[in-house]
Amino acid sequence: MTNINHNYTELQGSYLFSEIAKRRTKFTQENPDAQIISLGIGDVTRGLPEAVIQAMHAAVDELASPGSFRGYGPEQGYDFLIQAIIENDYKARGIEIGTNEVFLSDGSKCDVGNIQEIFSQDSIVAVQDPVYPVYVDTNVMAGRSGAFNPETKQYEKIVYLPTSAENDFIPSLPDRKVDLIYLCYPNNPTGMTLSKAELKRWVDYAKANDCIILYDSAYEAFIQEEDVPRSIYEIEGAKEVAIEFRSFSKTAGFTGVRCAYTVVPRELKGKDANGNILLVNDLWNRRHTTKFNGVSYVTQRGAAAIYSPEGKKQIASIVEYYMTNARIIREGLSSLGLEVFGGVNAPYIWLKTPNGLDSWAFFDKLLSEAHIVGTPGVGFGQSGQGYFRLTAFGSRENTEIAVERIRKLSL
Amino acid sequence: MTNINHNYTELQGSYLFSEIAKRRTKFTQENPDAQIISLGIGDVTRGLPEAVIQAMHAAVDELASPGSFRGYGPEQGYDFLIQAIIENDYKARGIEIGTNEVFLSDGSKCDVGNIQEIFSQDSIVAVQDPVYPVYVDTNVMAGRSGAFNPETKQYEKIVYLPTSAENDFIPSLPDRKVDLIYLCYPNNPTGMTLSKAELKRWVDYAKANDCIILYDSAYEAFIQEEDVPRSIYEIEGAKEVAIEFRSFSKTAGFTGVRCAYTVVPRELKGKDANGNILLVNDLWNRRHTTKFNGVSYVTQRGAAAIYSPEGKKQIASIVEYYMTNARIIREGLSSLGLEVFGGVNAPYIWLKTPNGLDSWAFFDKLLSEAHIVGTPGVGFGQSGQGYFRLTAFGSRENTEIAVERIRKLSL
């Protein structure tokens, strides 16, 4: 029998959202009349912007006849979209990014999952805690995690950087040498952000300590406050130490359409086992062109339409819709005396469970008494215990009903 | 400086098609009036079938409003498409495949590139020679290749299975223990196939010798002859030893739309380092759900339309178009006394270069004297030296002109 990748045996249980789905299914089977409202998984609910719809229709028509047909495109993405990204997401903020530094893909989950492949197998990985599980699981699969400790519920070799109300959700710098640091801002799941000064501390640390920051910025579009950096490259020197991941999933409702991009600056260097210096950009380009075949042409045309004047207005209005939901949840729960975080520059509200309930107990209470599905904080890591995530991605009506239902609970 | 994955330093040069593009660009800069015909890279040129276009338009419209919007779908693919695949591609041929055995993805290149991740790092890999470069390169990246030997131009630990006119393009069984065998039928680049009896020999070998066959069947739709198996699962016992990869890229013109699928039977088992038995299907499911987020909904609706009565007629007509091109090339070159292979059950024609020219010399001759771009056989491996690949994916007009131009060459 063929030997499998033994690292997979270190993966813990199934994915958080499977357990949520299981409990929800059980509840609805036993309570078929309950009107469940989901503020759980971070999926959007509004339709695609009209500019995107038009662009996708036009692209489909192009594919109908040999004269305008497009087959394989560049694995890195079409120039029309890369240029729009550079102009609007970077140049407009004073950041120079080259066309060979942007790599389009079918999703940030794929990119943040695949990026570790180009680094040494003995790299030490640091993650925030709570954390998006993909960062951890993909490093477990690659053999970087060490054994899982059932007592601490953490992997031996992974360096966890706890964030909670106690440290104002600002992680401490690692207390030992690490090679790769995953940072996610605006943060999933806490909805919190770093100021420019705080992010600068991380960039300076990475420069001084020879590490690379993997900066997941999938929720950038939701930033409202001035001092919050939109891109890590706003920080001087960040191009020498950081890779940035962005997504159209939440910005423009592309969760089912699939488009994201990753910026790998040419300034970012690594070394091989013989001490030779290589450009990380070249490695990622090689990986991307060998294992990926480009984003759907229809999707790329849709994504480019976001940068048109109409597209910009339309996505601004969608972001405003969700951020109003976030305010309704935040203010509603605060008024009940709950401790609430996030929801100002991110579509996630992170709340402290009342009366010291653990995360899953609060999940069950919310499901059974208010028919609301949220996400238990502990599912994102041990520092998430006693917290709970609600998302602003529901409809306005459901968001308002949900807050009313919570108001009636005895908390 | 952070350590990179040292295995990447064993990768050889740039991808074959970059070199082709470079020589083509140089030639067109020096000869701006030359009317180049490309029968090189395996990209299609006809428009998408009308049924697909209609389905994609309808899907785009669904995404426009919250009532019919679809966000994240199942990572494995929507049931409507998985059911259509099972019914049409398997059940209709007497093969039972379960819904949890089919995994949709955005391309076979990704799947055949990623599949190796779930197997042990010390697996011994066998590939046909000539071979689609992705099988080799992804195993180099994973550290399974050993060092590149500049004299043999092969990797030390990879087991090469040569195919050429000498063995009628039927590879010999491996002469030592291997764990993973990549087979591609109809074959890229040779265009040749195996009979059922020949494929049975491989399945029996894999069963007797504890190996797994990774069966790339991206060109299945082009099979014309009765005795050629459409699926490896037509062979008894194959579900215990084989994973099958299929693609909509060539079947339905999806090279720019991106959809493929992989079948991982529940009967296929592997063992971990402690000797525990695991289902390979479970491992692939875990990999797929952790590092991938589903195929674009619009694309999946387009793919499903291929299985409608109109869709079937339309793709049959496209396949016939390309296979007529294949016949024109095959018969045209044969009539010039060239030795020609493939092109009967596959859109690729594999020809022996005349007068003992090496593959790149023939490339340069064809480019400079006939203004035709093809693919040098040696680019696919050492056993491809002295061979050359032409594809049937051009327009009818260009295909006919190309054959006429070759007729006028002094060969």
Side-chain angles (χ1 to χ4, degrees):
Chain A
M1 208 166 283
T2 300
N3 290 325
I4 60 102
N5 177 346
H6 191 76
N7 301 318
Y8 273 60
T9 63
E10 288 295 339
L11 288 164
Q12 295 307 307
S14 63
Y15 196 63
L16 166 64
F17 294 108
S18 321
E19 178 63 25
I20 293 174
K22 213 167 78 184
R23 295 194 190 204
R24 178 186 172 148
T25 303
K26 182 166 180 287
F27 181 79
T28 51
Q29 278 165 354
E30 292 165 1
N31 303 273
D33 295 334
Q35 299 287 313
I36 304 269
I37 293 176
S38 176
L39 301 178
I41 189 166
D43 198 359
V44 297
T45 52
R46 311 306 297 161
L48 292 181
E50 179 55 29
V52 173
I53 294 289
Q54 283 176 16
M56 289 176 77
H57 277 308
V60 170
D61 283 333
E62 278 186 73
L63 298 181
S65 59
S68 53
F69 180 79
R70 306 261 192 151
Y72 291 123
E75 286 98 345
Q76 300 90 340
Y78 278 104
D79 203 49
F80 63 78
L81 180 50
I82 290 176
Q83 291 289 358
I85 288 167
I86 289 173
E87 286 299 316
N88 291 279
D89 292 347
Y90 293 101
K91 205 165 183 182
R93 307 191 73 81
I95 302 164
E96 291 294 330
I97 298 289
T99 52
N100 60 351
E101 296 179 311
V102 177
F103 297 85
L104 284 157
S105 83
D106 66 323
S108 273
K109 180 178 172 183
C110 317
D111 288 344
V112 300
N114 293 328
I115 196 76
Q116 45 77 29
E117 283 183 35
I118 61 173
F119 298 106
S120 173
Q121 213 199 352
D122 59 10
S123 303
I124 302 296
V125 169
V127 297
Q128 294 171 271
D129 174 23
V131 66
Y132 178 50
V134 171
Y135 311 150
V136 174
D137 288 355
T138 54
N139 279 293
V140 175
M141 290 171 173
R144 291 191 191 88
S145 65
F148 184 75
N149 181 331
E151 287 191 21
T152 61
K153 296 192 174 154
Q154 296 190 329
Y155 289 96
E156 281 173 0
K157 287 193 196 165
I158 289 183
V159 176
Y160 295 85
L161 310 169
T163 63
S164 65
E166 278 75 59
N167 61 7
D168 289 326
F169 297 93
I170 300 169
S172 299
L173 296 167
D175 59 4
R176 72 205 93 154
K177 166 67 186 154
V178 302
D179 301 295
L180 301 172
I181 305 171
Y182 290 82
L183 292 181
C184 176
Y185 288 106
N187 189 259
N188 174 17
T190 69
M192 300 296 275
T193 51
L194 291 186
S195 68
K196 276 189 193 164
E198 286 154 358
L199 186 55
K200 182 174 185 307
R201 205 164 132 255
W202 283 92
V203 169
D204 292 346
Y205 175 84
K207 287 179 82 162
N209 293 276
D210 271 347
C211 30
I212 289 178
I213 296 174
L214 304 168
Y215 194 73
D216 184 350
S217 191
Y219 298 93
E220 172 272 339
F222 298 92
I223 296 173
Q224 311 286 316
E225 293 181 319
E226 256 317 295
D227 184 45
V228 176
R230 306 286 178 127
S231 162
I232 194 167
Y233 305 123
E234 290 179 31
I235 311 298
E236 206 190 315
K239 282 189 191 173
E240 293 158 44
V241 294
I243 293 173
E244 179 161 283
F245 305 91
R246 292 267 188 107
S247 172
F248 296 100
S249 284
K250 311 300 159 72
T251 316
F254 270 43
T255 51
V257 174
R258 316 300 317 138
C259 199
Y261 67 88
T262 292
V263 177
V264 188
R266 299 285 294 173
E267 286 92 330
L268 187 63
K269 298 188 181 91
K271 65 173 196 309
D272 69 15
N274 303 326
N276 299 311
I277 292 170
L278 293 98
L279 299 191
V280 174
N281 178 288
D282 287 337
L283 295 169
W284 184 246
N285 188 55
R286 185 66 197 250
R287 196 256 166 227
H288 203 66
T289 53
T290 303
K291 299 193 183 181
F292 182 66
N293 229 338
V295 178
S296 162
Y297 177 67
V298 176
T299 297
Q300 290 190 61
R301 281 289 178 200
I306 296 165
Y307 296 104
S308 67
E310 307 74 39
K312 284 180 188 172
K313 266 186 235 157
Q314 291 160 7
I315 62 169
S317 134
I318 293 176
V319 166
E320 195 196 347
Y321 182 94
Y322 291 134
M323 291 311 291
T324 302
N325 286 351
R327 188 178 49 74
I328 290 169
I329 299 172
R330 199 164 36 85
E331 294 179 357
L333 302 191
S334 291
S335 74
L336 303 175
L338 287 166
E339 262 193 286
V340 177
F341 307 94
V344 176
N345 295 299
Y348 293 125
I349 289 89
W350 188 245
L351 63 104
K352 188 103 196 67
T353 56
N355 307 316
L357 281 180
D358 78 24
S359 296
W360 280 108
F362 188 70
F363 175 91
D364 290 333
K365 181 181 174 73
L366 215 55
L367 176 58
S368 61
E369 298 176 21
H371 306 171
I372 294 169
V373 174
T375 310
V378 72
F380 297 99
Q382 292 312 297
S383 299
Q385 183 58 281
Y387 288 90
F388 200 79
R389 192 189 76 173
L390 293 173
T391 89
F393 289 128
S395 68
R396 177 66 40 79
E397 192 191 357
N398 278 346
T399 303
E400 286 170 344
I401 295 172
V403 171
E404 280 316 299
R405 287 188 190 168
I406 295 172
R407 196 181 296 282
K408 287 177 190 144
L409 289 181
S410 63
L411 291 172
Chain B
M1 210 166 284
T2 300
N3 291 324
I4 61 102
N5 177 346
H6 191 75
N7 301 316
Y8 273 60
T9 63
E10 287 295 340
L11 288 164
Q12 294 306 306
S14 62
Y15 196 62
L16 166 62
F17 295 107
S18 322
E19 178 62 25
I20 293 175
K22 213 168 77 184
R23 294 196 189 203
R24 178 187 173 147
T25 303
K26 181 164 181 288
F27 180 79
T28 51
Q29 278 166 353
E30 292 166 2
N31 302 273
D33 296 334
Q35 298 288 312
I36 305 268
I37 293 177
S38 175
L39 302 177
I41 189 166
D43 199 359
V44 297
T45 53
R46 311 306 297 161
L48 292 180
E50 179 55 30
V52 172
I53 295 289
Q54 284 176 17
M56 289 176 76
H57 276 308
V60 170
D61 283 332
E62 278 186 73
L63 298 181
S65 59
S68 52
F69 180 78
R70 305 259 193 152
Y72 290 124
E75 286 98 344
Q76 299 90 340
Y78 278 105
D79 204 50
F80 64 78
L81 180 51
I82 290 176
Q83 291 289 356
I85 287 167
I86 289 174
E87 287 298 317
N88 292 278
D89 292 347
Y90 293 101
K91 205 165 183 182
R93 307 192 72 82
I95 302 164
E96 293 292 330
I97 297 289
T99 51
N100 60 352
E101 296 178 311
V102 177
F103 297 85
L104 284 157
S105 83
D106 66 325
S108 273
K109 180 178 173 185
C110 318
D111 288 345
V112 299
N114 292 328
I115 196 76
Q116 44 77 29
E117 282 184 34
I118 61 172
F119 298 107
S120 173
Q121 213 200 353
D122 58 10
S123 303
I124 302 296
V125 169
V127 296
Q128 295 171 271
D129 174 23
V131 66
Y132 178 51
V134 171
Y135 312 151
V136 174
D137 288 354
T138 54
N139 279 293
V140 175
M141 291 171 173
R144 290 191 192 88
S145 65
F148 185 75
N149 181 329
E151 286 191 23
T152 61
K153 296 192 174 152
Q154 297 189 329
Y155 289 96
E156 282 173 0
K157 286 194 196 165
I158 288 183
V159 177
Y160 295 85
L161 310 169
T163 64
S164 65
E166 278 77 58
N167 61 5
D168 290 327
F169 296 94
I170 299 170
S172 299
L173 296 167
D175 59 4
R176 71 204 93 155
K177 167 66 185 154
V178 303
D179 301 295
L180 301 172
I181 304 171
Y182 289 82
L183 291 181
C184 175
Y185 287 106
N187 188 259
N188 175 18
T190 69
M192 299 295 276
T193 50
L194 291 186
S195 67
K196 275 189 193 161
E198 287 155 359
L199 186 54
K200 182 174 184 304
R201 205 165 132 253
W202 283 93
V203 170
D204 292 347
Y205 174 84
K207 287 178 84 163
N209 293 276
D210 271 349
C211 29
I212 289 177
I213 296 174
L214 304 169
Y215 194 73
D216 184 350
S217 192
Y219 298 93
E220 173 270 340
F222 297 91
I223 296 173
Q224 310 287 314
E225 294 180 319
E226 256 317 298
D227 185 46
V228 177
R230 306 286 178 125
S231 162
I232 195 168
Y233 304 123
E234 292 180 29
I235 312 298
E236 208 190 312
K239 282 190 191 173
E240 295 159 43
V241 294
I243 292 172
E244 180 161 283
F245 304 90
R246 293 267 189 104
S247 171
F248 297 100
S249 284
K250 311 300 159 72
T251 315
F254 270 44
T255 51
V257 174
R258 315 303 316 138
C259 199
Y261 66 88
T262 292
V263 177
V264 188
R266 300 284 295 172
E267 286 92 331
L268 187 64
K269 298 186 181 92
K271 65 174 196 311
D272 69 15
N274 302 325
N276 300 310
I277 292 170
L278 293 99
L279 299 191
V280 174
N281 179 287
D282 287 337
L283 295 170
W284 183 246
N285 188 57
R286 186 65 197 250
R287 197 257 165 226
H288 203 65
T289 52
T290 303
K291 297 193 185 180
F292 183 65
N293 229 337
V295 178
S296 161
Y297 176 67
V298 177
T299 296
Q300 290 191 61
R301 280 289 178 200
I306 296 165
Y307 295 104
S308 67
E310 307 73 40
K312 283 180 188 174
K313 266 185 237 159
Q314 290 160 7
I315 63 168
S317 132
I318 293 176
V319 166
E320 195 196 345
Y321 182 94
Y322 291 134
M323 290 311 290
T324 302
N325 286 351
R327 189 178 49 73
I328 290 169
I329 299 172
R330 198 163 36 87
E331 295 179 356
L333 301 192
S334 291
S335 74
L336 302 176
L338 287 167
E339 262 193 286
V340 177
F341 306 95
V344 175
N345 295 298
Y348 292 125
I349 290 90
W350 188 245
L351 63 103
K352 187 103 195 67
T353 57
N355 307 318
L357 281 180
D358 79 23
S359 298
W360 280 107
F362 188 70
F363 174 91
D364 289 334
K365 181 180 173 71
L366 216 56
L367 176 58
S368 61
E369 297 177 21
H371 305 171
I372 295 169
V373 173
T375 311
V378 71
F380 297 100
Q382 291 312 296
S383 298
Q385 183 58 280
Y387 289 90
F388 199 79
R389 192 188 77 173
L390 293 173
T391 89
F393 289 126
S395 69
R396 178 65 39 78
E397 192 191 359
N398 277 348
T399 303
E400 286 170 344
I401 296 172
V403 171
E404 280 316 300
R405 287 188 191 167
I406 295 173
R407 198 181 295 282
K408 289 179 190 145
L409 288 182
S410 63
L411 292 173

